Amino acid sequence: MEPLSQAERADALDGLPDWDHDAGRDAIVRSFTFDNFSQAFAFMTQVALLAEKADHHPEWSNVYNRVDILLTTHDAGGLSDRDIDMAQAIDALVE
Amino acid sequence: MEPLSQAERADALDGLPDWDHDAGRDAIVRSFTFDNFSQAFAFMTQVALLAEKADHHPEWSNVYNRVDILLTTHDAGGLSDRDIDMAQAIDALVE
């Protein structure tokens, strides 16, 4: 599993305008805000099912109505296509 | 809603040997490790139901098989009985 090159990463991030690059981790991060905890956890459940299906799991945290997600690929030592695919699938949940 | 006094907090923590006091936040914290993500998220779902029922929500994060939980009471400006009750209920899930 290879990490994305700098050019590939730039292309991928252009297609994910709501995600930011965490250079220190070579990861992508996005925060989601919902009306309340119930909605936030419903979203987390959907992400958990995506993650388990793809066998690619986020690093994430939740405080009441907010969910912060970080995606990186440990096996690649940084951002890979698997993160980009997961970010697109997560975005599709909230569009 | 009042925070626990120092003596009440000490008593409460004696009854919660698996939780640590985070003095900076006046919170209690515990890490849980499971066999895999599926088990970790199943536990999170149980905690979410407890939290919603009590209307008292954790600050928590998950990385694969690990779940870190922090409990504090924002309305009290620190640790309250509600955190102690929630910690006991969470402990009961994994005993």
Side-chain angles (χ1 to χ4, degrees), chain B residues 48-89:
Chain B
L49 297 179
L50 285 178
E52 192 69 358
K53 188 169 178 182
D55 193 22
H56 189 56
H57 302 87
E59 300 184 21
W60 54 349
S61 62
N62 160 245
V63 179
Y64 193 57
N65 66 334
R66 177 174 170 151
V67 180
D68 292 324
I69 299 184
L70 181 149
L71 299 173
T72 191
T73 303
H74 298 108
D75 291 349
L79 209 54
S80 80
D81 281 330
R82 301 185 72 188
D83 302 304
I84 306 308
D85 293 345
M86 181 62 63
Q88 289 169 342

Side-chain angles (χ1 to χ4, degrees), chain B residues 7-26:
Chain B
E8 289 168 334
R9 192 177 66 215
D11 275 351
L13 285 169
D14 279 347
L16 294 170
D18 295 316
W19 294 76
D20 293 317
H21 186 235
D22 177 335
R25 293 286 312 274
D26 193 16

